[in-house]
Amino acid sequence: MTTATVGKKRASRLNFTNLFRWVVGSVAVVVIFYGSIKSVASGRLSWAQWRDLMVFGVAQGSVYALIAMGYTMVYGVLRFINFAHGEVFMSGAMIGYFVADALNRAGIWNEQPVVSLLIVLLVSMTTATSIAVILERVAYRPLRGAPRLIPLITSIGASFTLQYLFRGLFGAGTKAYPPMAAIQGKWIIFGIPILKSQVIVIGSAIVVMAGLYLFVEKTKTGRSMRAVAEDPETAALMGINVDGTIVKVFAVGGAMAGVAGALWTLVFPTVNFFSGFLPGIKAFTAAVLGGIGNIFGAMLGGVSLGMFESVGPSLVLGGYEVPAFNQLKDVVAFSALVLVLIFRPTGILGERLAQERG
Amino acid sequence: MERAATAAEPLDDLLPAPVLSLQRAVRFGLIGGMAAVVVAAIGMVETFEARTLIDPFLALGLTTLYLASFTFGFVAGSPPPEREGFAKPKAGLRSLAAGAIAGVLAGVVLSAFMLLADAVNLRNIFVSVSPQLLELLTFGKGLGTGILLVLVVSTAVGVAGSAVHLIPAQVRRPIMYTVMWVLLVGLLQSVIEPVFRGLGLPSLIDVLYEEAGGLRLAGVVIVAAAVFLLSFFLGGKGRALQGRLDALPAQRRRSYISILLLVAAAIVYMIPRVVGPFLSEVLDLAGLYLLMALGLNIVIGYAGLLDLGYVAFFAVGAYTTAILTSPNSPRFTPEMTLWASLPFVVLAAALAGLLVGTPVLRMRGDYLAIVTLGFGEIARILLNSDALKETFGGAQGIINIPNMVIGPLTVRGPEVFFYPIFIFAILAGYVSLAIQNSRMGRAWMAMREDELVAETMGVNIVAAKLSAFVVGASLASIGGALFAVKVGSVFPSSFNIVVSITILVLIIVGGMGSVPGVTVGALALVALPELLREFNEYKFLMYGILLIFMMLKRPEGFIPSKRRALELHQDEVLQDAWLQIYGDEETGPQEEGV
């Protein structure tokens, strides 16, 4: 008797949600296609402008991808969303600013641009890595095995704490990186003129992510990370130091966020205590979009989200002649998150984790 | 059984008690020192120093600073946990030594920071590290003497912290209460003064307080004596009174309770008159937060759905009210009164609840949190956008929302507004309590524990989730309506993510699922920073730290609901159960062997 009723319940539930998904999905598809066709047909933007938007999207997206690495790796191992990861990213950019400022005042910033950028990158990475590791030690490690909402709420608290700690320490004002003459202007790559800063961002992101991929796939540490992600208990039985591996995962995620922090300031050269929030959420979206727990997915998701966010408002909303559609670019990103979670919670490459019972 | 017998054996065969390790004291000392440095570097000491607690010598700034030494001295000196087979560890000289070590090290770290701040200009980076701060830290005595003083004070405070363990438990409580109340009365001067004035006792103010701020020494003595005597004579009497009330026959008990309720109502009626406009304003704000927190408590505390975009429902309530009632709202010209619009407000919020709830029906907890956060941000951006300016007024918001009118009475000003907020908060509290034990409430709690099991037991998960969202959203929307009418205007900037997090903190600190906990949380965490301006600057930092601390040490909150506390400490209960079984098994084979 019970099985029959349960079966019936389940069927009705699926019908209800499926109906909902179907309706929302078809509306979304129609809206997106109609808007895109209209705005392309209107010819408001030239091909060169679309192309610039796309390149900008890729640059922005590769930073999202770098931040998303931290979410995806931590999620893969601990099955929880490290809400404070956006603040780890912000901390790198923030401390990097003080170094850049000091270099600028010492006159090195414009004289030795490569060295300066490398120093900022290194400082940003070190800061972000240490913050991520401290966070793990203080806030997350004592909560291993706690009910799922508890580490999540802790990470929200950690995010808030870091934001307002940085606000208290360094002031609430927005800090502007000193401009660097060497990265102004454009390079022509495959016949396409691209802003130098964007070339650097995309190039470094590719190098770093390739490095990360090799690290995870080819080294012993990477293998132990994958083993812990697969099954921590068995990994422990095989002689892997689970706690140590988790610390390394946080460290690698933090280092990626540090790189992202340094690169982000090449595209958007300002930082304040709140500037980790939105990139953090969007990077999470990117991780989900690509399939959380999957490193390739995070790369793919980051770049797609960056493109979508930069092209989407003009393409879709512009078609409907929505006034001031650029204000709504975050709405586009968040809608992408909601739509992905409704239709493909597994992401592009991921397995079905969004509904898995942890 | 056998276990109990061994435990009662004479203590001869026990190993000596574990002793405090030096390493632990050193660690806590260093952490304490770093905490003190952070407190100083974020400008807390300097800002807080403006508030004098006890007139000539004690201000809040340095008190906060040395609280670090005290706390970590206390922690370092706490006796090690009791271990089976070992004698019970007792606090003794070793505790004091540990406290002293922690205190000295905290002082050393702080001194190092002072030396650094003196040698290098840190102000370009750390905005609050100013010469004034340094002067404050050195007690205005110059760097050399200052550092010596810091070391001495920090050590003394650390020892004092560890000495708490040496005081016998019966005395400890009255002493702690006395110290706490003296500090509290000193802190809350700006609250207590208007209350005394409202009660017609202005002369008492002069006895207690210095005019420029801070308790007089006489005030300290009076407060200390009063608290000490009260706690000495009344300690534990509350429960006895409750017991006596329970023992009364039903009819008399009912009449007693109704008399108590009448008295309470009279007191509540008097509150805004006595406390004056400023305090009423603060209470109004706390009441609005309480209303929202009760709503979110249903979503998170009862149903276990972590909603981080809760402020969106508040915004829906406020904006619907504004659009329907204000003559300045561009879209809807037929204006309504607040009461006529209220059903539409709740309806709009319920629809919003469905809108948010439906897509997330099948998501697990952490995804739900992020998606609701996304919804909250979408709502705020849309309200702010020029695209929907026609309806929502963009960044300029909607102004000219008419006042609340009850019959012939126009509700205006914070003192009068206290009553509707209070009544709605009471209603929300009543609804929460009533719903908790209803069929729906039990379904929510079952779902919170385990969705699959709940579903198997016949709980309709879709209905339970959606109803939680709808009920929570409705409560928030009423809060929003009251907010809009009270302020007279709505702006998108009032509906920030920070509001959602604040409400979350209230619930977590008070106790998820516990109505009294949420109430106390709202009063302590919203009203207090509002009353003490210098707290306001650091309140979000404190919220963040509180969230982490609560999750690590007391996930059930300070005033937990019974059921919730049981769930969260299930492990311990289970462990105990396991021990019992283990114990039985241990004796089992032995018997067989015999």
Side-chain angles (χ1 to χ4, degrees):
Chain A
M1 178 204 89
T2 39
T3 38
T5 48
V6 167
K8 225 163 114 195
K9 277 263 162 60
R10 174 144 296 206
S12 74
R13 184 183 82 157
L14 286 179
N15 281 342
F16 177 68
T17 37
N18 279 347
L19 183 74
F20 177 80
R21 283 165 58 156
W22 191 79
V23 170
V24 173
S26 27
V27 169
V29 166
V30 169
V31 165
I32 291 173
F33 268 94
Y34 185 70
S36 312
I37 290 166
K38 261 185 89 173
S39 68
V40 171
S42 76
R44 221 166 8 82
L45 292 182
S46 66
W47 159 236
Q49 280 168 313
W50 284 120
R51 189 192 60 205
D52 286 349
L53 275 181
M54 275 192 251
V55 175
F56 175 76
V58 174
Q60 179 177 268
S62 43
V63 178
Y64 290 157
L66 283 173
I67 309 175
M69 295 301 159
Y71 281 110
T72 245
M73 292 177 68
V74 167
Y75 197 94
V77 173
L78 290 179
R79 297 281 183 274
F80 103 102
I81 298 171
N82 178 12
F83 219 86
H85 193 62
E87 275 57 52
V88 172
F89 156 80
M90 177 273 289
S91 71
M94 180 75 95
I95 305 296
Y97 159 77
F98 289 109
V99 176
D101 192 46
L103 288 172
N104 188 37
R105 269 185 285 145
I108 306 171
W109 185 251
N110 272 313
E111 249 167 54
Q112 294 283 349
V114 180
V115 177
S116 306
L117 285 182
L118 281 180
I119 293 177
V120 170
L121 181 74
L122 213 65
V123 169
S124 174
M125 273 175 80
T126 321
T127 314
T129 310
S130 359
I131 296 230
V133 170
I134 294 175
L135 209 59
E136 193 273 338
R137 181 67 195 84
V138 175
Y140 304 145
R141 191 181 300 176
L143 292 173
R144 290 278 148 75
R148 218 179 35 227
L149 279 189
I150 288 187
L152 182 66
I153 295 174
T154 314
S155 72
I156 295 171
S159 151
F160 232 55
T161 309
L162 282 175
Q163 272 175 23
Y164 286 92
L165 191 65
F166 272 69
R167 181 178 187 266
L169 288 175
F170 306 118
T174 298
K175 292 153 183 65
Y177 268 69
M180 185 178 264
I183 57 166
Q184 308 298 319
K186 294 183 175 185
W187 276 319
I188 297 188
I189 295 186
F190 302 125
I192 307 168
I194 302 178
L195 282 177
K196 285 181 184 173
S197 55
Q198 294 181 357
V199 176
I200 298 176
V201 170
I202 298 171
S204 334
I206 291 175
V207 171
V208 171
M209 282 188 279
L212 178 73
Y213 179 76
L214 289 179
F215 174 75
V216 172
E217 291 296 322
K218 303 289 177 201
T219 64
K220 206 172 167 187
T221 318
R223 199 185 305 153
S224 63
M225 284 175 184
R226 280 180 289 136
V228 172
E230 195 76 35
D231 185 342
E233 276 159 33
T234 313
L237 290 178
M238 298 296 161
I240 292 172
N241 177 355
V242 174
D243 269 345
T245 308
I246 291 174
V247 171
K248 282 177 198 152
V249 166
F250 270 88
V252 172
M256 293 292 124
V259 176
L263 294 181
W264 182 260
T265 55
L266 295 179
V267 188
F268 304 96
T270 56
V271 60
N272 68 21
F273 73 99
F274 201 62
S275 47
F277 176 71
L278 278 180
I281 303 285
K282 286 177 189 163
F284 172 75
T285 307
V288 174
L289 189 63
I292 200 150
N294 184 321
I295 290 181
F296 255 128
M299 298 177 195
L300 202 65
V303 175
S304 333
L305 184 74
M307 289 265 277
F308 192 54
E309 194 189 323
S310 115
V311 178
S314 316
L315 189 64
V316 180
L317 299 176
Y320 295 98
E321 281 153 26
V322 175
F325 53 74
N326 269 327
Q327 288 177 339
L328 301 178
K329 93 183 159 62
D330 293 338
V331 172
V332 171
F334 289 128
S335 314
L337 171 67
V338 175
L339 289 176
V340 169
L341 281 178
I342 295 176
F343 294 105
R344 206 175 150 74
T346 57
I348 305 174
L349 299 178
E351 14 164 354
R352 201 169 199 84
L353 274 173
Q355 299 156 34
E356 185 212 76
R357 316 176 55 82
Chain B
M1 287 304 273
E2 206 160 279
R3 247 162 206 280
T6 43
E9 292 273 300
L11 300 173
D12 299 347
D13 56 339
L14 290 183
L15 295 163
V19 289
L20 282 169
S21 72
L22 180 68
Q23 201 193 349
R24 208 172 106 99
V26 169
R27 196 172 72 212
F28 284 124
L30 292 179
I31 297 177
M34 276 186 269
V37 168
V38 168
V39 165
I42 60 176
M44 226 169 178
V45 176
E46 223 181 317
T47 324
F48 280 14
E49 196 64 13
R51 187 160 300 262
T52 320
L53 290 177
I54 299 172
D55 177 47
F57 55 91
L58 195 63
L60 186 58
L62 288 178
T63 312
T64 315
L65 183 71
Y66 287 105
L67 200 62
S69 300
F70 185 85
T71 315
F72 285 94
F74 175 82
V75 177
S78 67
E82 200 177 342
R83 285 245 245 15
E84 208 175 322
F86 290 82
K88 194 173 183 246
K90 271 199 218 118
L93 274 181
R94 269 177 182 277
S95 297
L96 288 186
I101 292 168
V104 169
L105 283 174
V108 167
V109 175
L110 188 59
S111 308
F113 168 72
M114 283 155 61
L115 280 173
L116 184 71
D118 186 61
V120 193
N121 179 17
L122 292 177
R123 222 178 167 178
N124 287 328
I125 299 176
F126 300 103
V127 282
S128 307
V129 183
S130 59
Q132 289 89 318
L133 174 72
L134 204 61
E135 199 184 317
L136 197 63
L137 292 181
T138 53
F139 302 92
K141 297 263 163 40
L143 197 63
T145 329
I147 285 183
L148 211 65
L149 275 175
V150 165
L151 288 176
V152 171
V153 173
S154 177
T155 314
V157 172
V159 172
S162 61
V164 172
H165 298 290
L166 295 182
I167 308 171
Q170 306 96 300
V171 196
R172 196 189 298 169
R173 193 165 240 201
I175 291 181
M176 293 296 262
Y177 275 148
T178 312
V179 172
M180 253 172 53
W181 275 100
V182 168
L183 292 182
L184 207 63
V185 172
L187 194 64
L188 294 178
Q189 185 176 11
S190 56
V191 183
I192 295 172
E193 279 193 0
V195 171
F196 278 163
R197 224 168 277 134
L199 288 172
L201 299 166
S203 54
L204 207 57
I205 300 173
D206 293 335
V207 179
L208 284 178
Y209 292 110
E210 201 66 41
E211 209 162 309
L215 270 175
R216 284 162 187 269
L217 282 180
V220 174
V221 174
I222 293 175
V223 175
V227 174
F228 194 81
L229 289 178
L230 279 179
S231 71
F232 202 76
F233 287 113
L234 289 185
K237 291 273 164 66
R239 201 160 291 157
L241 216 63
Q242 170 88 43
R244 227 189 289 167
L245 193 66
D246 285 344
L248 285 178
Q251 202 169 1
R252 276 191 56 200
R253 189 169 66 209
R254 218 167 292 146
S255 61
Y256 269 117
I257 288 177
S258 45
I259 289 171
L260 276 179
L261 280 181
L262 274 179
V263 172
I267 291 175
V268 166
Y269 177 71
M270 290 303 293
I271 285 176
R273 284 157 193 261
V274 169
V275 299
F278 172 61
L279 285 182
S280 304
E281 181 77 53
V282 172
L283 283 177
D284 289 357
L285 188 74
L288 282 175
Y289 268 97
L290 172 61
L291 203 52
M292 286 190 278
L294 286 170
L296 188 62
N297 187 37
I298 287 178
V299 185
I300 297 184
Y302 292 176
L305 306 164
L306 186 57
D307 182 353
L308 293 184
Y310 193 65
V311 68
F313 301 130
F314 182 56
V316 167
Y319 266 90
T320 316
T321 314
I323 289 169
L324 292 178
T325 62
S326 164
N328 278 49
S329 67
R331 270 287 159 84
F332 292 88
T333 30
E335 312 307 343
M336 302 177 172
T337 62
L338 171 70
W339 304 113
S341 73
L342 213 50
F344 295 99
V345 170
V346 174
L347 192 70
L351 283 178
L354 283 180
L355 191 76
V356 174
T358 318
V360 300
L361 271 177
R362 303 199 308 164
M363 275 171 211
R364 33 179 284 182
D366 30 15
Y367 280 78
L368 181 90
I370 296 261
V371 171
T372 48
L373 181 85
F375 271 120
E377 281 295 290
I378 290 178
R380 192 181 57 81
I381 297 169
L382 287 181
L383 293 177
N384 208 353
S385 69
D386 290 340
L388 298 173
K389 203 170 177 168
E390 287 286 287
T391 321
F392 300 125
Q396 282 78 41
I398 299 175
I399 54 169
N400 269 336
I401 299 167
N403 281 311
M404 183 191 287
V405 180
I406 304 172
L409 205 76
T410 308
V411 180
R412 201 183 294 131
E415 283 136 300
V416 191
F417 220 96
F418 174 80
Y419 300 115
I421 290 182
F422 185 82
I423 290 168
F424 275 107
I426 290 278
L427 277 178
Y430 176 75
V431 168
S432 302
L433 285 176
I435 228 168
Q436 189 170 21
N437 292 319
S438 70
R439 190 182 170 81
M440 203 200 266
R442 278 178 280 132
W444 285 336
M445 280 179 239
M447 179 176 78
R448 176 184 73 197
E449 289 328 305
D450 194 322
E451 243 179 82
L452 207 68
V453 172
E455 195 171 17
T456 323
M457 300 311 248
V459 172
N460 184 343
I461 295 290
V462 171
K465 276 195 180 170
L466 289 182
S467 59
F469 271 110
V470 166
V471 175
S474 313
L475 284 181
S477 72
I478 293 173
L482 288 174
F483 172 80
V485 174
K486 180 174 179 303
V487 179
S489 51
V490 287
F491 302 104
S493 54
S494 321
F495 306 102
N496 209 307
I497 161 86
V498 168
V499 178
S500 297
I501 306 279
T502 304
I503 304 171
L504 176 69
V505 177
L506 304 186
I507 295 177
I508 302 286
V509 171
M512 268 192 265
S514 144
V515 174
V518 171
T519 312
V520 174
L523 280 177
L525 294 177
V526 177
L528 212 60
E530 211 54 40
L531 289 172
L532 305 168
R533 281 279 140 199
E534 55 272 25
F535 271 68
N536 225 355
E537 178 125 335
Y538 300 103
K539 82 176 169 195
F540 294 123
L541 179 61
M542 292 184 195
Y543 287 172
I545 294 175
L546 260 178
L547 269 187
I548 302 180
F549 175 82
M550 295 305 292
M551 286 298 109
L552 290 180
K553 299 287 174 204
R554 237 187 123 81
E556 71 273 25
F558 279 121
I559 307 174
S561 74
K562 223 181 238 167
R563 193 186 294 233
R564 190 79 192 166
L566 277 180
E567 284 153 17
L568 283 165
H569 292 286
Q570 209 172 28
D571 295 358
E572 290 158 30
V573 179
L574 280 180
Q575 211 167 31
D576 290 348
W578 176 79
L579 272 180
Q580 273 171 5
I581 295 167
Y582 178 73
D584 289 346
E585 271 176 0
E586 210 175 34
T587 53
Q590 273 175 0
E591 280 164 19
E592 268 172 49
V594 173

